[in-house]
Amino acid sequence: MSVLDDLQRRAAAQPAHIVLSEGHDPRIVAAAIRAVTAGLGTITLVGDTNAVTAALHEAGGQPSDHLRVADPVADPRKAEIAHGFFEHRQHKGVTLEKAETLTENPLVFAAMLVRMGYADGTVGGAVATTSDTVRAALQVIGKASDAALVSSFFLMVLPDNHPSGRRAMIFSDSGLVIDPNADDLAAIAVQSAASCQALMAETPKVALLSFSTKGSARHANVTKVTDATTILAEQHPDLDADGELQFDAAFVPDVGGSKAAGSSVAGHANVMIFPNLDAGNIGYKIAQRIGGCTAIGPILQGLAKPANDLSRGCTADDVLHMIAVTALQSAARQETT
Protein backbone atom coordinates (compact mmCIF):
# COMPACT_ATOMS: atom_id res chain seq x y z
CA MET A 1 0.00 0.00 0.00
CA SER A 2 1.34 3.43 -0.94
CA VAL A 3 1.99 6.11 1.68
CA LEU A 4 -0.88 8.21 0.37
CA ASP A 5 -3.28 5.26 0.39
CA ASP A 6 -2.18 4.48 3.93
CA LEU A 7 -2.88 8.08 4.98
CA GLN A 8 -6.45 7.73 3.77
CA ARG A 9 -6.88 4.30 5.36
CA ARG A 10 -5.75 5.53 8.78
CA ALA A 11 -7.78 8.74 8.49
CA ALA A 12 -10.90 6.70 7.66
CA ALA A 13 -10.34 4.70 10.85
CA GLN A 14 -10.64 7.96 12.85
CA PRO A 15 -13.19 10.06 10.92
CA ALA A 16 -13.12 13.82 11.45
CA HIS A 17 -15.16 16.86 10.50
CA ILE A 18 -13.07 19.03 8.17
CA VAL A 19 -14.12 22.47 6.90
CA LEU A 20 -13.03 23.58 3.43
CA SER A 21 -13.12 27.36 3.17
CA GLU A 22 -13.28 27.54 -0.66
CA GLY A 23 -16.38 25.45 -1.24
CA HIS A 24 -17.12 26.83 -4.71
CA ASP A 25 -13.83 25.67 -6.27
CA PRO A 26 -14.20 22.56 -8.49
CA ARG A 27 -11.03 20.97 -7.08
CA ILE A 28 -12.27 21.43 -3.52
CA VAL A 29 -15.70 20.04 -4.38
CA ALA A 30 -14.27 17.00 -6.17
CA ALA A 31 -11.99 16.24 -3.21
CA ALA A 32 -14.84 16.70 -0.74
CA ILE A 33 -17.01 14.17 -2.58
CA ARG A 34 -14.12 11.70 -2.69
CA ALA A 35 -13.32 12.23 0.99
CA VAL A 36 -16.89 11.45 2.03
CA THR A 37 -17.02 8.43 -0.29
CA ALA A 38 -13.76 7.17 1.24
CA GLY A 39 -15.21 7.49 4.74
CA LEU A 40 -12.81 10.16 5.97
CA GLY A 41 -15.62 11.81 7.88
CA THR A 42 -17.83 14.86 7.44
CA ILE A 43 -16.92 17.71 5.11
CA THR A 44 -18.37 21.22 5.28
CA LEU A 45 -18.00 23.38 2.18
CA VAL A 46 -17.96 27.08 3.04
CA GLY A 47 -19.25 29.67 0.59
CA ASP A 48 -22.29 31.18 -1.05
CA THR A 49 -25.01 28.53 -0.88
CA ASN A 50 -26.05 28.85 -4.52
CA ALA A 51 -22.47 28.79 -5.83
CA VAL A 52 -21.44 25.80 -3.70
CA THR A 53 -24.58 23.83 -4.47
CA ALA A 54 -24.14 24.48 -8.19
CA ALA A 55 -20.53 23.31 -8.00
CA LEU A 56 -21.65 20.17 -6.16
CA HIS A 57 -24.28 19.36 -8.77
CA GLU A 58 -21.75 19.97 -11.56
CA ALA A 59 -19.46 17.40 -9.90
CA GLY A 60 -22.27 14.87 -9.48
CA GLY A 61 -22.79 15.40 -5.77
CA GLN A 62 -25.34 16.93 -3.47
CA PRO A 63 -25.52 18.12 0.14
CA SER A 64 -26.00 15.40 2.74
CA ASP A 65 -25.39 14.69 6.42
CA HIS A 66 -21.71 14.11 5.67
CA LEU A 67 -21.32 16.72 2.92
CA ARG A 68 -22.61 20.04 4.21
CA VAL A 69 -22.76 23.59 2.93
CA ALA A 70 -22.23 26.60 5.24
CA ASP A 71 -22.78 30.14 3.97
CA PRO A 72 -20.97 32.71 6.18
CA VAL A 73 -23.54 35.34 5.31
CA ALA A 74 -26.67 33.27 5.94
CA ASP A 75 -25.63 30.52 8.35
CA PRO A 76 -27.93 30.23 11.40
CA ARG A 77 -24.83 30.32 13.64
CA LYS A 78 -23.72 33.65 12.15
CA ALA A 79 -24.47 35.78 15.23
CA GLU A 80 -22.90 33.24 17.59
CA ILE A 81 -19.75 33.02 15.49
CA ALA A 82 -19.47 36.80 15.18
CA HIS A 83 -19.82 37.19 18.94
CA GLY A 84 -17.22 34.49 19.50
CA PHE A 85 -14.80 36.28 17.20
CA PHE A 86 -15.50 39.58 18.97
CA GLU A 87 -14.72 38.04 22.35
CA HIS A 88 -11.54 36.51 20.97
CA ARG A 89 -10.24 39.65 19.21
CA GLN A 90 -11.68 42.58 21.14
CA HIS A 91 -8.31 43.09 22.84
CA LYS A 92 -7.03 43.95 19.37
CA GLY A 93 -9.67 46.63 18.96
CA VAL A 94 -12.23 44.52 17.08
CA THR A 95 -15.78 45.74 17.69
CA LEU A 96 -18.84 43.52 17.45
CA GLU A 97 -19.84 45.30 14.24
CA LYS A 98 -16.40 44.67 12.78
CA ALA A 99 -16.55 41.04 13.91
CA GLU A 100 -19.83 40.59 12.04
CA THR A 101 -18.13 41.78 8.86
CA LEU A 102 -14.87 39.85 9.32
CA THR A 103 -16.58 36.52 9.98
CA GLU A 104 -18.28 36.74 6.59
CA ASN A 105 -14.81 36.02 5.18
CA PRO A 106 -14.83 32.27 4.41
CA LEU A 107 -11.31 31.76 5.82
CA VAL A 108 -12.25 33.38 9.11
CA PHE A 109 -15.64 31.69 9.24
CA ALA A 110 -14.08 28.25 8.64
CA ALA A 111 -11.44 28.83 11.31
CA MET A 112 -14.13 29.96 13.77
CA LEU A 113 -16.10 26.74 13.16
CA VAL A 114 -12.97 24.89 14.28
CA ARG A 115 -12.23 27.21 17.20
CA MET A 116 -15.79 26.89 18.51
CA GLY A 117 -15.85 23.11 18.26
CA TYR A 118 -18.18 22.73 15.29
CA ALA A 119 -15.40 21.04 13.29
CA ASP A 120 -12.05 19.34 13.90
CA GLY A 121 -9.89 21.11 11.33
CA THR A 122 -9.86 23.36 8.29
CA VAL A 123 -8.11 23.47 4.93
CA GLY A 124 -7.82 26.45 2.56
CA GLY A 125 -5.48 28.10 0.11
CA ALA A 126 -6.59 26.71 -3.25
CA VAL A 127 -7.79 30.22 -4.08
CA ALA A 128 -6.61 32.38 -1.18
CA THR A 129 -2.96 33.27 -0.72
CA THR A 130 -0.78 31.47 1.79
CA SER A 131 -0.41 34.66 3.83
CA ASP A 132 -4.20 35.09 4.12
CA THR A 133 -4.76 31.40 4.89
CA VAL A 134 -2.07 31.21 7.55
CA ARG A 135 -3.06 34.56 9.06
CA ALA A 136 -6.62 33.35 9.60
CA ALA A 137 -5.34 30.19 11.28
CA LEU A 138 -2.96 32.09 13.55
CA GLN A 139 -5.43 34.84 14.50
CA VAL A 140 -8.49 32.65 15.00
CA ILE A 141 -7.29 29.21 16.09
CA GLY A 142 -3.99 30.33 17.55
CA LYS A 143 -0.98 28.57 18.98
CA ALA A 144 -1.43 25.53 21.17
CA SER A 145 -0.78 26.19 24.85
CA ASP A 146 1.96 23.56 24.89
CA ALA A 147 3.72 24.82 21.73
CA ALA A 148 6.68 27.19 21.74
CA LEU A 149 5.82 28.41 18.24
CA VAL A 150 3.85 27.56 15.12
CA SER A 151 5.94 26.00 12.36
CA SER A 152 5.41 24.03 9.19
CA PHE A 153 6.65 21.00 7.33
CA PHE A 154 6.26 19.12 4.08
CA LEU A 155 5.48 15.44 3.98
CA MET A 156 7.83 14.25 1.25
CA VAL A 157 6.64 11.02 -0.34
CA LEU A 158 9.49 9.31 -2.16
CA PRO A 159 8.99 7.62 -5.53
CA ASP A 160 7.99 3.95 -5.44
CA ASN A 161 10.91 1.54 -4.99
CA HIS A 162 13.32 4.32 -4.11
CA PRO A 163 16.89 2.94 -3.78
CA SER A 164 17.02 4.14 -0.16
CA GLY A 165 14.08 1.94 0.77
CA ARG A 166 12.37 4.98 2.32
CA ARG A 167 8.72 5.70 1.70
CA ALA A 168 8.35 9.19 3.17
CA MET A 169 10.16 11.87 5.16
CA ILE A 170 9.41 15.08 7.05
CA PHE A 171 11.15 18.29 5.87
CA SER A 172 10.85 21.17 8.37
CA ASP A 173 10.62 24.11 8.48
CA SER A 174 10.19 24.59 4.76
CA GLY A 175 7.34 27.07 4.67
CA LEU A 176 6.94 29.42 7.65
CA VAL A 177 9.71 30.23 10.16
CA ILE A 178 12.31 32.28 8.30
CA ASP A 179 15.33 32.30 10.61
CA PRO A 180 14.83 30.16 13.72
CA ASN A 181 17.26 30.46 16.61
CA ALA A 182 18.57 27.42 18.50
CA ASP A 183 15.55 27.25 20.81
CA ASP A 184 13.22 27.55 17.83
CA LEU A 185 15.04 24.77 15.98
CA ALA A 186 14.72 22.49 18.98
CA ALA A 187 10.98 23.25 19.22
CA ILE A 188 10.52 22.65 15.48
CA ALA A 189 12.34 19.32 15.84
CA VAL A 190 10.01 18.20 18.66
CA GLN A 191 6.91 19.20 16.70
CA SER A 192 8.18 17.50 13.55
CA ALA A 193 8.95 14.28 15.42
CA ALA A 194 5.33 14.23 16.65
CA SER A 195 4.14 14.88 13.09
CA CYS A 196 6.24 11.95 11.87
CA GLN A 197 4.52 9.65 14.34
CA ALA A 198 1.05 10.98 13.51
CA LEU A 199 1.32 10.89 9.72
CA MET A 200 3.94 8.26 8.92
CA ALA A 201 3.33 5.94 11.89
CA GLU A 202 7.10 5.61 12.24
CA THR A 203 9.50 6.17 15.11
CA PRO A 204 11.16 9.52 14.36
CA LYS A 205 14.87 9.78 13.78
CA VAL A 206 15.60 13.49 13.70
CA ALA A 207 18.56 15.04 11.89
CA LEU A 208 19.42 18.68 12.49
CA LEU A 209 21.00 19.69 9.21
CA SER A 210 23.94 21.94 8.45
CA PHE A 211 26.73 22.40 5.92
CA SER A 212 28.94 20.73 8.54
CA THR A 213 29.00 17.25 10.07
CA LYS A 214 30.29 16.80 13.59
CA GLY A 215 32.68 19.75 13.58
CA SER A 216 33.91 19.52 9.98
CA ALA A 217 33.38 23.30 9.73
CA ARG A 218 33.21 26.14 12.23
CA HIS A 219 30.75 29.02 11.90
CA ALA A 220 28.02 30.73 13.90
CA ASN A 221 25.43 29.00 11.70
CA VAL A 222 26.86 25.63 12.68
CA THR A 223 26.92 26.60 16.34
CA LYS A 224 23.21 27.38 16.18
CA VAL A 225 22.52 23.81 15.05
CA THR A 226 24.79 22.20 17.64
CA ASP A 227 23.19 24.35 20.34
CA ALA A 228 19.74 23.18 19.21
CA THR A 229 20.96 19.58 19.39
CA THR A 230 22.18 20.15 22.94
CA ILE A 231 18.84 21.66 23.94
CA LEU A 232 17.03 18.63 22.52
CA ALA A 233 19.28 16.22 24.39
CA GLU A 234 18.67 18.06 27.66
CA GLN A 235 14.92 18.64 27.31
CA HIS A 236 13.90 15.56 25.32
CA PRO A 237 16.43 12.83 26.07
CA ASP A 238 14.11 10.10 24.74
CA LEU A 239 13.96 11.68 21.28
CA ASP A 240 16.38 10.06 18.83
CA ALA A 241 17.97 13.21 17.40
CA ASP A 242 21.44 14.17 16.26
CA GLY A 243 23.29 17.07 14.67
CA GLU A 244 24.97 18.81 13.18
CA LEU A 245 24.71 16.60 10.08
CA GLN A 246 25.03 17.27 6.38
CA PHE A 247 22.14 15.90 4.35
CA ASP A 248 24.17 13.03 2.87
CA ALA A 249 25.36 12.01 6.33
CA ALA A 250 21.76 12.04 7.56
CA PHE A 251 20.32 10.15 4.60
CA VAL A 252 22.93 7.70 3.26
CA PRO A 253 23.98 4.90 5.65
CA ASP A 254 27.51 4.54 4.26
CA VAL A 255 28.14 8.27 4.41
CA GLY A 256 26.59 8.53 7.86
CA GLY A 257 28.77 5.70 9.12
CA SER A 258 31.85 7.42 7.76
CA LYS A 259 31.13 10.99 8.80
CA ALA A 260 29.25 10.37 12.06
CA ALA A 261 30.31 6.98 13.34
CA GLY A 262 28.25 5.75 16.25
CA SER A 263 25.25 7.96 15.53
CA SER A 264 21.89 6.15 15.59
CA VAL A 265 20.41 8.86 13.37
CA ALA A 266 23.10 9.34 10.73
CA GLY A 267 22.16 7.50 7.55
CA HIS A 268 18.68 6.66 8.85
CA ALA A 269 16.93 10.00 9.49
CA ASN A 270 13.29 10.33 8.50
CA VAL A 271 12.85 13.84 9.92
CA MET A 272 15.06 16.53 8.41
CA ILE A 273 15.30 19.83 10.31
CA PHE A 274 16.69 22.61 8.13
CA PRO A 275 18.62 25.50 9.71
CA ASN A 276 16.49 28.22 8.07
CA LEU A 277 13.72 28.77 5.55
CA ASP A 278 16.14 29.36 2.69
CA ALA A 279 17.57 25.86 3.09
CA GLY A 280 14.23 24.21 3.82
CA ASN A 281 12.34 25.74 0.92
CA ILE A 282 15.14 25.13 -1.57
CA GLY A 283 15.64 21.60 -0.27
CA TYR A 284 12.03 20.48 -0.62
CA LYS A 285 11.72 21.96 -4.10
CA ILE A 286 14.88 20.19 -5.28
CA ALA A 287 13.59 16.90 -3.85
CA GLN A 288 10.26 17.50 -5.56
CA ARG A 289 11.44 18.70 -8.97
CA ILE A 290 14.63 16.70 -9.43
CA GLY A 291 14.15 13.83 -7.02
CA GLY A 292 10.58 13.07 -8.05
CA CYS A 293 9.13 13.30 -4.53
CA THR A 294 5.51 14.22 -3.94
CA ALA A 295 5.43 17.22 -1.60
CA ILE A 296 2.36 17.55 0.62
CA GLY A 297 2.22 20.86 2.40
CA PRO A 298 3.00 23.24 3.87
CA ILE A 299 1.39 21.48 6.82
CA LEU A 300 1.12 23.61 9.96
CA GLN A 301 2.09 22.33 13.39
CA GLY A 302 1.85 23.93 16.80
CA LEU A 303 -1.71 25.25 16.40
CA ALA A 304 -4.39 24.63 19.01
CA LYS A 305 -6.40 22.76 16.37
CA PRO A 306 -5.46 21.72 12.82
CA ALA A 307 -5.53 24.23 9.96
CA ASN A 308 -3.63 23.73 6.73
CA ASP A 309 -2.70 25.56 3.56
CA LEU A 310 -2.94 24.44 -0.06
CA SER A 311 -1.02 25.59 -3.10
CA ARG A 312 -3.07 27.64 -5.53
CA GLY A 313 -1.89 25.20 -8.18
CA CYS A 314 -3.22 22.21 -6.24
CA THR A 315 -5.18 19.35 -7.75
CA ALA A 316 -8.19 17.52 -6.30
CA ASP A 317 -5.75 14.75 -5.29
CA ASP A 318 -3.68 17.28 -3.33
CA VAL A 319 -6.80 18.49 -1.52
CA LEU A 320 -7.84 14.93 -0.68
CA HIS A 321 -4.39 14.18 0.76
CA MET A 322 -4.53 17.34 2.89
CA ILE A 323 -7.97 16.41 4.21
CA ALA A 324 -6.53 13.06 5.34
CA VAL A 325 -3.52 14.79 6.90
CA THR A 326 -5.74 17.24 8.78
CA ALA A 327 -7.94 14.42 10.06
CA LEU A 328 -4.91 12.52 11.35
CA GLN A 329 -3.57 15.66 13.03
CA SER A 330 -6.89 16.06 14.79
CA ALA A 331 -6.82 12.45 15.98
CA ALA A 332 -3.26 12.84 17.25
CA ARG A 333 -4.14 16.07 19.05
CA GLN A 334 -7.08 14.43 20.79
CA GLU A 335 -4.89 11.56 21.95
CA THR A 336 -2.52 13.97 23.70
CA THR A 337 -5.16 16.14 25.40
Side-chain angles (χ1 to χ4, degrees):
M1 178 180 291
S2 73
V3 171
L4 299 178
D5 288 341
D6 188 53
L7 275 178
Q8 289 190 44
R9 179 190 63 78
R10 290 191 293 114
Q14 304 176 84
H17 183 174
I18 306 301
V19 183
L20 306 180
S21 56
E22 296 151 332
H24 64 285
D25 186 276
R27 299 164 295 176
I28 299 294
V29 171
I33 293 171
R34 290 170 59 187
V36 170
T37 301
L40 302 189
T42 298
I43 304 295
T44 291
L45 296 168
V46 174
D48 174 79
T49 299
N50 291 333
V52 175
T53 302
L56 267 172
H57 289 163
E58 182 69 22
Q62 59 183 353
S64 66
D65 287 345
H66 291 293
L67 186 54
R68 305 174 185 176
V69 179
D71 187 334
V73 176
D75 191 279
R77 299 164 292 186
K78 180 177 177 3
E80 178 192 358
I81 287 171
H83 192 266
F85 186 81
F86 162 68
E87 289 187 330
H88 176 53
R89 299 292 292 175
Q90 61 179 319
H91 70 287
K92 292 291 187 179
V94 174
T95 64
L96 181 56
E97 182 180 14
K98 185 67 172 178
E100 290 170 349
T101 300
L102 290 173
T103 50
E104 290 182 356
N105 179 313
L107 287 170
V108 176
F109 184 84
M112 282 300 297
L113 288 178
V114 176
R115 177 179 177 83
M116 297 181 72
Y118 285 112
D120 299 309
T122 181
V123 176
V127 179
T129 64
T130 290
S131 60
D132 286 343
T133 305
V134 173
R135 185 184 305 112
L138 291 173
Q139 290 184 349
V140 176
I141 296 174
K143 182 174 69 66
S145 59
D146 59 350
L149 77 171
V150 175
S151 63
S152 77
F153 67 96
F154 279 82
L155 176 63
M156 306 298 294
V157 180
L158 279 65
D160 291 341
N161 302 314
H162 192 273
S164 69
R166 316 281 179 85
R167 301 174 69 223
M169 305 176 71
I170 298 287
F171 278 20
S172 187
D173 187 330
S174 300
L176 188 60
V177 183
I178 295 174
D179 189 20
N181 59 30
D183 287 316
D184 293 336
L185 277 180
I188 291 168
V190 172
Q191 292 176 349
S192 300
S195 294
C196 173
Q197 291 178 311
L199 300 187
M200 295 165 52
E202 294 181 6
T203 300
K205 287 184 173 292
V206 182
L208 288 93
L209 301 178
S210 175
F211 61 84
S212 169
T213 296
K214 297 299 184 180
S216 64
R218 296 183 181 276
H219 189 274
N221 289 348
V222 178
T223 301
K224 178 176 78 169
V225 177
T226 57
D227 287 348
T229 306
T230 300
I231 292 169
L232 277 178
E234 292 173 350
Q235 298 182 355
H236 301 275
D238 295 335
L239 181 61
D240 198 5
D242 201 4
E244 85 281 17
L245 296 172
Q246 291 164 287
F247 187 88
D248 59 349
F251 187 71
V252 182
D254 288 347
V255 178
S258 173
K259 290 186 174 184
S263 170
S264 61
V265 171
H268 305 285
N270 53 9
V271 178
M272 302 292 187
I273 306 299
F274 291 84
N276 56 42
L277 189 58
D278 280 334
N281 192 267
I282 292 167
Y284 104 78
K285 288 183 183 292
I286 289 174
Q288 180 186 35
R289 301 301 180 181
I290 296 179
C293 292
T294 298
I296 301 174
I299 302 168
L300 301 180
Q301 53 189 5
L303 289 167
K305 294 182 179 181
N308 285 310
D309 182 33
L310 296 162
S311 164
R312 281 177 284 174
C314 67
T315 65
D317 282 344
D318 296 329
V319 180
L320 181 63
H321 300 330
M322 193 63 87
I323 291 171
V325 163
T326 307
L328 287 171
Q329 285 183 307
S330 174
R333 188 75 190 166
Q334 291 174 23
E335 289 174 0
T336 59
T337 56

